[in-house]
Amino acid sequence: MAGLNLSSVKKAYGEVEVLHGIDLNIEEGEFIVFVGPSGCGKSTLLRMIAGLETITGGTLEIGGQMVNDVPPAQRGIAMVFQSYALYPHMTVYDNMAFGMRIARESKEEIHRRVSSAAEILQLTPYLDRLPKALSGGQRQRVAIGRAICRDPKVFLFDEPLSNLDAALRVATRIEIAKLKESMPETTMIYVTHDQVEAMTLADRIVVLSAGYIEQVGSPLELYRHPRNIFVAQFIGSPSMNIIPVNIETAGEETAIRFDDGHSATVPIGTPAHAAGSKAQFGVRPEDLRIAQNGAWLFEGEVSIVESLGEVTLLYVDGGNAEEPIIAKIPGIHDIKAGDTLRFDADPDVLHLFNEDGLAYQG
Amino acid sequence: MHPALAGIVTIIVGVGGCIGYFYFSNLFIDKILFPAKGPNISRNINRANMIRPWLFLFPALFALGLYLAYPVFATFWLSLTDRDAGGAFVGFDNYSQMMTEPKFWEAIRNNMLWLIVVPAMSTAFGLLAAQLTDRITWGNFAKSLIFMPMAISFVGASVIWKLIYDTRPEGQDQIGVLNAIWLYFGGEPQTWLTITPWNNFLLMLVLIWIQTGFAMVILSAALRGVPEDTVEAAIIDGANPFQIFFKIKIPQIMGTIVVVWTTITIVVLKVFDIVLAMTNGQWETQVLANYMYDKLFRAFDWGVGSASAMIIMLLVSPILVWNVYNARKEMR
């Protein structure tokens, strides 16, 4: 069983660098999720760990051993592909046994490991079938089974759920969570662009963007304390509202003024030189409340109301934000488009970013 | 009449005749045979619609029947008659006469040899070339070179290879490439095409040279169709390049290999030009198609000639059926 250590890992295709020096330490037994928008390099990074892509700079260690030039099969990894990548001409049994046969394991050992993997994944009745005679979910389980049979130190998943329909995706996600529980010492690295998968499965999430790590942390850490606007808006759905403001007075608490002239005080510390500068004020849709009386943060005109029953989504024009501000209010409300409302929020859940998009830590 | 004028008239009559056939036959069925009026209007329309496709297909069916089906039956009939007896019906005498000829059995034996060696070697070399040219930068150039013999007629290829195998009497300068190589290694000049049984393989080499390009092009496309992630999964499973090729790639393109193999097999069964142009069946290199040609156009023995044609057809048919079956399975 092994942890991983990546230090300034780079990937370049000719002149074009797509990963610009990734530093990351993964503990043994951790469940790590790489998230990020398409093209951010998360799959490339995973494939470099697998050994399917060469590493053009930096070092990759698995279990304390540098493996930059070690072939994939000897890195102690197993990978589950997005498209399952089952061998179409082999039965389920042979698909799972292939790696062990290559490694010249004994017949008994192969049989034992395939049977136990099939048992775990409820594939026993399907062992004699060809992949084409299986449903999408079953194929994905075979792919996972094939990985289990390799008895890997590090388990790699490349968007394993993206080819499944919504209901199956939830079920398989739970199965993967259970699988992790049953293999506490196995390190798992999981690539997805789906933040629900990231939030529910990960011990730690690695947010990637354009070949850089934006932030590494536990799901709730990223949700509560995003380091910058990118992470703030990437984690959480709908995205965090960002409103341009001016800092009036800096200090332990910061006074901010919205473009419409309204001022508010937030309990976030800012350095003295920030006074008078522009900043970005952030608040999550689910943290917004309709101000009863007294203090309020901003006011705006409701342009669209979406009643989902459990929550009501309000799209509000106000505060001079580029996008409409979204408020997610629990329950059903009698609010119509065109109403002007005032909103406030718990002071502890507000965010303030400087002009470069970095968070002021409160 | 001026030939150009005659051509134009032929085109006008031909195309006009076709259009006229479809127009007037359609008119006939709709207006005269089953008019869309009167007490039986719906029955008439139904019947007209049932007959119409056959009416339109008739010219094609007739032409195909005339040029494809009729010759088969005519040949079969000819194979049962004897020219010396004034075309009298002689039953299967021609076949039994053929069976007693050593040249016929030589042709059968050689054909079997061709049947095994040429498709196997062409497919194997084609597969090898497809795999080797897949990842290199000048792969497409290499492929064009290997494919080029496909553009040469069998007779043309035979002439080229005849020059390669050429022999001059001792004392003269040898111009054949093979003899040049042979002499370089200290051998005596050989008349290659007379050395049995190796001359058979020298002839086969010509067809292999031609068919490898065909096999390579088809198999190269099939190899590219193998999903890359199954190869990557095999890499992670620890398979080496040979295991990936033989255990992952080949099984996935097996259907295409069968189609290529059987297609070449059919070409081989009909092989004629190469043997005619290079040895004319001498020195124990006879094959069935050339045997047929010998009987039919040299000995003018249409009975035995037709009988051997029937034998060729009997041999080709099952392979053809299998080929079509596999090709259709591949397309699905």
Side-chain angles (χ1 to χ4, degrees), chain A residues 19-39:
Chain A
L19 287 172
H20 316 282
I22 300 291
D23 290 300
L24 184 62
N25 199 35
I26 299 171
E27 299 292 324
E28 175 186 316
E30 252 190 317
F31 199 123
I32 294 283
V33 175
F34 294 169
V35 286
S38 319

Side-chain angles (χ1 to χ4, degrees), chain A residues 47 50 52 72-73 77-79 81 83 85-90 95 98-99 102 146 150, chain B residues 227-240 243-244 246-249 251-252:
Chain A
R47 291 168 56 81
L52 295 172
I77 52 116
M79 183 153 165
F81 291 82
S83 53
L86 299 179
Y87 311 128
H89 54 290
M90 295 184 196
N95 259 285
F98 183 73
I102 293 286
R146 184 170 66 184
R150 287 189 55 72
Chain B
E228 190 58 28
D229 52 12
T230 60
V231 173
E232 289 180 342
I235 291 174
I236 288 180
D237 269 342
N240 64 35
Q243 287 165 326
I244 287 171
F246 287 108
K247 292 186 173 171
I248 302 298
K249 285 188 170 178
Q252 291 195 60

Side-chain angles (χ1 to χ4, degrees), chain A residues 320-338:
Chain A
N320 204 21
E322 283 172 27
E323 307 270 323
I325 296 164
I326 302 173
K328 193 175 180 181
I329 315 284
I332 300 167
H333 296 267
D334 185 23
I335 299 170
K336 289 184 294 295

Side-chain angles (χ1 to χ4, degrees), chain B residues 61-72:
Chain B
L61 287 177
F62 178 74
L64 279 175
L66 189 66
Y67 287 103
L68 290 179
Y70 167 72
V72 173

